[in-house]
């Protein structure tokens, strides 16, 4: 099965002028883990989506790709 973009974390980080490294530091996560989320290689937990949204001051739905 081909990789599908399921999250918009990287896009929202760019919109808010933040980096993967900044997000990793804020969450206490390994930068490699955050990088995998940003490239949609892996996905964060639902709880983590809420934490990321809170840090960026957005609704969690902005972090998820809407189905077409």
């Amino acid at each position: 099965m081909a990789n599908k973009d399921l999250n918009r974390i990287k896009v929202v980080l760019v919109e808010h002028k933040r980096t993967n490294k900044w997000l990793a530091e804020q969450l206490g996560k390994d930068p490699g883990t955050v990088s995998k989320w940003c490239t949609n290689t892996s996905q964060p937990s639902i709880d983590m989506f809420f934490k990321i949204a809170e840090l960026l001051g957005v609704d969690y739905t902005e972090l998820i790709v809407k189905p077409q």
Side-chain angles (χ1 to χ4, degrees), residues 15-31:
E15 289 172 354
H16 287 84
K17 297 178 175 55
R18 298 293 185 174
T19 63
N20 297 12
K21 182 180 176 187
W22 173 84
L23 185 59
E25 289 170 355
Q26 298 301 307
L27 296 171
K29 293 287 185 182
D30 183 88

